[in-house]
Amino acid sequence: MSVIDTSCIVIFGASGDLTQRMLIPALYHLYVDQKLPKSFAILGVSRSIYSDQAFRSKLIKNIKSDKKINEELLNKFCEHLFYQAINTSDVNDYTLLKKRISRINADRELKNNTLFYLATPPSLYSVIPEHLAAVGLNEETDGWKRLVVEKPFGSDLKSAVSLDESLYRHFQEQQIYRIDHYLGKETVQNMLVLRFANSIFEPLWNGRYIDYVEVTGAEALGVEQRGGYYDGSGAMRDMLQNHLLQVIAMVAMEPPAVINAKSMRDEVVKVLQCLKPLSQDDLENNLVLGQYIQSQVRGKCLPAYREEEGVPNNSRTETYVGLKLFINNWRWDGVPFYLRTGKRLPTRVTEVVIHFKKTPHPVFSADAPENKLIIRIQPDEGIMLGFGLKEPGAGFDAKEVAMDFHYSDLKETELLTAYERLLLDLLKGDATLFARSDAVRACWDFVQPILDYQKKSFPLHGYASGTWGPIEAEKLLNRDNHEWRFPCKNLTDTDYCEL
Ligand code: NDP
Ligand code: BG6
């Protein structure tokens, strides 16, 4: 097992939302679970002025909203937190930063191992590494130096390639960790174990037995306070290009020779490179773009996307994407993968549904039950297998029943959150769950025709908040005699709607 070295975690963008809401709480939980080394330091960096104490107090507020906190441990954790204000865009300030890191290293007896976490606006993703290099903070002569880049990694293929080029001027690929927090989710990783640790699924995991695959990433919330960012991004860049395509890779990849960063990521990139390029016909017929409009949901009037803060009132940004795609390889030839993601859908649920082909000759009833495997990523994390059983009573009619497993049944196990898992791996130097440059490019390569298509006039369908998106998305499947599942927050409740 890899060891966790003593290290200094330098977070750029430390006064921002991601640091406060995700990174620091994740590090606190790892500390409480004794997963961090004895000696470590977290140095927050941004332009706002705080003393170490003021920075600690700001971050504590958020952790304290968690009911399970332990005051004594929280105070001890805070002793590891420091803050340095610099103008992140000014190379001259990096000498000051270097001195501060050296002092912390000396005081805390760290070993000059440094993790630089970029949680700033993406415009700084190439600036900060360049300035770090200007003062030698990229050199590994006296301890490792790792660079973590948050999403979005570019906004299209060209910008992703150019970001890579600028990072490679100062850091090597093995020093760079591109975060996709979906890969940190226990249930996403479990897809590999489910597939490759059991002999019963893999023989059926191909186009001979699988009819179609659904991948849903639904959210009940709207864009909240992030309208300004989201309007330049849309569901395509925000969710599909990264999170959903990574999920597809886990469902569709070939077994890696071993589980390590190279083998795993080699297989991921192979399958992403097999995504069938979208033709003009696909763009016109197999893609549905939507935007939520005002609606009454559970007695509350929810605003239209165009009325959200930071969103222009004539915006044509999509808050919903439905897409049918194919994977051009032996395993998946001819199997449609239907993807959908959207904001303001009826519930928050992420899941993969594998629909197996029906029996070739239905002897028991004309409408034979379907075999489907539901892999629930969140919430009510688990697995459900649907199959046919004899309907009790006279005759031989088949009825659909289900077997289900819920992670919550593993009482002794606390699942690590995605950021906890990924931060641990970063400290261990394990890149298995981080996106490699070629995989990121393959994803951009695949969605680039959609981005180009959106530059011209394209149909954007309105859908009422709280519904499952535009009606056109249903037609996308119905046309092929397929159907979306309408999931509920509980894995096993499929036929009722939450009120
Ligand atoms: P915020 O706007 O809340 O924070 C941005 C941070 O960057 C602040 O600490 C800001 O502090 C600092 N900063 C430094 N230089 C600049 C500058 N020139 N202009 C603006 N800010 C600057 O963003 P988030 O924390 O939400 O997001 C940070 C990054 O993480 C983004 O790239 C985002 O896409 C990504 N991300 C965020 C998620 C989230 O849930 N928030 C989820 C996934 C990814 P100061 O002004 O003091 O310098
Ligand atoms: C983020 C997107 O990457 O993922 C958000 O920027 C989205 O818009 C979020 O809400 C979804 O993540 P999760 O873990 O809640 O499914």
Side-chain angles (χ1 to χ4, degrees), residues 44 102 113 120 123 225 256 273 380 386 459:
S102 298
N113 297 316
T120 63
S123 54
Q225 278 36 276
Q273 285 170 344
D380 194 9

Side-chain angles (χ1 to χ4, degrees), residues 151 181-182 185 219 226 229-230 238-239 242-243 343 348 350 378:
K151 67 166 280 224
H181 79 278
Y182 265 56
K185 291 182 190 278
E219 294 185 88
R226 298 170 70 216
Y229 147 76
Y230 192 88
D238 189 50
M239 288 289 294
N242 37 64
H243 305 325
K343 302 250 183 221
R348 174 178 180 251
T350 309
Q378 64 192 20

